[in-house]
Amino acid sequence: AYAIPEENGRITCISSMQNPFDVYNKVVKILGLPAEKIRVIQAATGGGFGPKSDETQIDVAAYACLAALKTRKPVLSVFIREESVTVQCKRHAFIIENKTAATEDGKLVAWKSTLYEDTGAYISKGHLVIARATFHCTGPYEVPNVWADGYCVLTNNTMAGSTRGFGAPQAHFAAEVQMDILAKKLRMDPVELRAKNILIPGSLTATSQKIDDSGLEVCFRKAVEESAWHQRRREYEEFNKRSMYVKRGIGIALLYHGNTLGPEGEDFANVHTRIERDGTVIIQTGLTEYGTGAITSLAIVTAETLGISLKNIRVERPDTSAVTSAGPTVASRTTVIGGQAALDAAKQLRSRLAE
């Protein structure tokens, strides 16, 4: 983080991050300054993967701003590799116990999960991660009876926090292992077992969300077809009978993941759009770009709505002094939530131009 003291007493902080307003609000609180005395700008950020929406980005920004406040000189705060490895949040370790009940022909009828999440010495986002992991405990399968208990446990281990998938990968890994064990016990092909229970339009998830899209089923069947699953499985079984030391195998795993925040927070976004005298359309938002290209979707939506070329649109860097909060840039929500805000803004601008 780079902090620059200004003549009016304000401190401008430029730093690599996912959520400028989260950093802004916490730095204001840490330094005890009036809100107008802190300005946060997202630096070019090449990769976030979750940890850049967590505590470390707040810490490094606060260090720089505090030093700039005391010295009235520009300050650069950087973690050396050892410090970064020590304090940057890691993916949560889990212990997951699954019990399943199924009919003889492989139809799931009940599922019980107990999930223990090691969040380290500080809770960070642990209470939210365990919730999402618990939601996904049955994997992408329809089960009429589900009992799930999730525990976020504080330990003396390194702090864990926000990482890509946010608890779902751990839950899905355990669920898929469980499905393979069940298939073996029932003497069923793992693909056949999954096909009997996969979420399809009309199915209910463990939290009673009704599925209205067939994408998972289409993807699943295409993967089975393209991999020549049944042929390879027979070939490998014959090979493994002949080979004592070298073994071959083929596996399949399914998952689904809820985009946007859901019960984890308020899902909103703000996009500010204006036209310059030369006809350039400027887009400003608190949502950030960190290598995914998602911010470009806001420009595409705006260009199509206004009927102009994409080259006539410029997206400004996120700046807390120029825009209002757009919520966090996490959970693949930029295009879904931010895109809708960009659409609304472009429609309003188009209406004013028509007047």
Side-chain angles (χ1 to χ4, degrees):
Y2 188 49
I4 308 163
E6 300 177 9
E7 291 183 1
N8 61 3
R10 185 172 69 175
I11 296 174
T12 295
C13 179
I14 304 171
S15 183
S16 172
M17 67 188 79
Q18 288 179 230
N19 303 329
F21 277 90
D22 190 28
V23 172
Y24 166 77
N25 290 329
K26 301 294 175 53
V27 170
V28 165
K29 184 176 181 179
I30 291 169
L31 269 60
L33 293 176
E36 66 271 14
K37 293 299 182 182
I38 295 292
R39 176 190 185 192
V40 173
I41 301 173
Q42 185 216 19
T45 301
F49 311 107
K52 288 187 180 179
S53 68
D54 217 285
E55 309 299 328
T56 309
Q57 312 312 121
I58 299 167
D59 296 340
V60 72
Y63 296 153
C65 290
L66 178 61
L69 177 67
K70 295 299 183 181
T71 64
R72 304 308 304 174
K73 295 181 179 180
V75 174
L76 177 64
S77 176
V78 180
F79 284 158
I80 62 172
R81 178 63 63 186
E82 183 180 2
E83 292 168 335
S84 178
V85 170
T86 301
V87 304
Q88 190 88 18
C89 70
K90 310 300 185 292
R91 186 176 292 276
H92 289 87
F94 271 75
I95 295 175
I96 301 176
E97 299 172 356
N98 286 328
K99 293 182 179 180
T100 51
T103 61
E104 290 184 353
D105 64 350
K107 192 66 176 175
L108 293 171
V109 294
W111 189 296
K112 184 175 182 179
S113 288
T114 307
L115 303 91
Y116 302 94
E117 172 204 56
D118 181 352
T119 199
Y122 302 93
I123 196 161
S124 181
K125 302 293 193 298
H127 59 302
L128 300 175
V129 172
I130 189 62
R132 187 161 286 240
T134 305
F135 298 158
H136 290 81
C137 69
T138 61
Y141 306 106
E142 185 169 28
V143 188
N145 303 287
V146 179
W147 182 331
D149 293 315
Y151 299 91
C152 176
V153 183
L154 288 163
T155 69
N156 62 351
N157 292 325
T158 302
M159 181 186 77
S162 174
T163 51
R164 184 66 177 157
F166 216 68
Q170 296 94 317
H172 280 302
F173 178 84
E176 289 304 291
V177 170
Q178 187 79 353
M179 291 295 282
D180 281 344
I181 293 172
L182 180 59
K184 189 173 182 179
K185 285 183 177 292
L186 293 173
R187 297 183 179 181
M188 288 183 65
D189 187 309
V191 159
E192 182 185 352
L193 178 63
R194 286 168 170 82
K196 281 181 176 288
N197 297 284
I198 192 173
L199 292 172
I200 58 175
S203 298
L204 297 180
T205 69
T207 56
S208 294
Q209 179 182 356
K210 190 174 183 178
I211 300 298
D212 58 8
D213 183 88
S214 61
L216 179 63
E217 183 185 23
V218 171
C219 180
F220 166 64
R221 297 195 182 284
K222 189 67 173 177
V224 172
E225 178 187 344
E226 292 293 324
S227 67
W229 170 274
H230 298 291
Q231 178 184 339
R232 287 191 179 184
R233 189 170 169 81
R234 289 191 297 270
E235 291 175 355
Y236 294 161
E237 286 177 353
E238 290 301 317
F239 176 86
N240 292 337
K241 289 177 183 177
R242 300 191 304 269
S243 176
M244 182 177 297
Y245 301 108
V246 178
K247 303 294 182 181
R248 294 175 181 172
I250 183 171
I252 190 167
L254 308 183
L255 63 88
Y256 76 127
H257 187 74
N259 284 5
T260 74
L261 298 178
E264 295 161 7
E266 295 183 73
D267 251 338
F268 69 94
N270 289 306
V271 173
H272 301 248
T273 306
R274 70 177 190 273
I275 301 178
E276 300 285 82
R277 288 184 179 275
D278 64 357
T280 301
V281 175
I282 306 297
I283 297 175
Q284 291 181 290
T285 182
L287 296 169
T288 59
E289 176 60 56
Y290 46 88
T292 66
I295 288 295
T296 305
S297 67
L298 308 188
I300 293 172
V301 168
T302 302
E304 291 183 354
T305 305
L306 296 177
I308 63 175
S309 172
L310 192 60
K311 67 181 182 181
N312 293 327
I313 294 180
R314 185 171 76 244
V315 181
E316 299 277 319
R317 191 163 294 287
D319 181 345
T320 59
S321 70
V323 295
T324 54
S325 175
T329 310
V330 296
S332 303
R333 62 188 296 275
T334 297
T335 301
V336 179
I337 306 299
Q340 184 62 54
L343 177 63
D344 292 344
K347 284 182 176 179
Q348 291 181 45
L349 191 58
R350 187 177 63 188
S351 296
R352 292 184 182 181
L353 290 171
E355 295 173 0

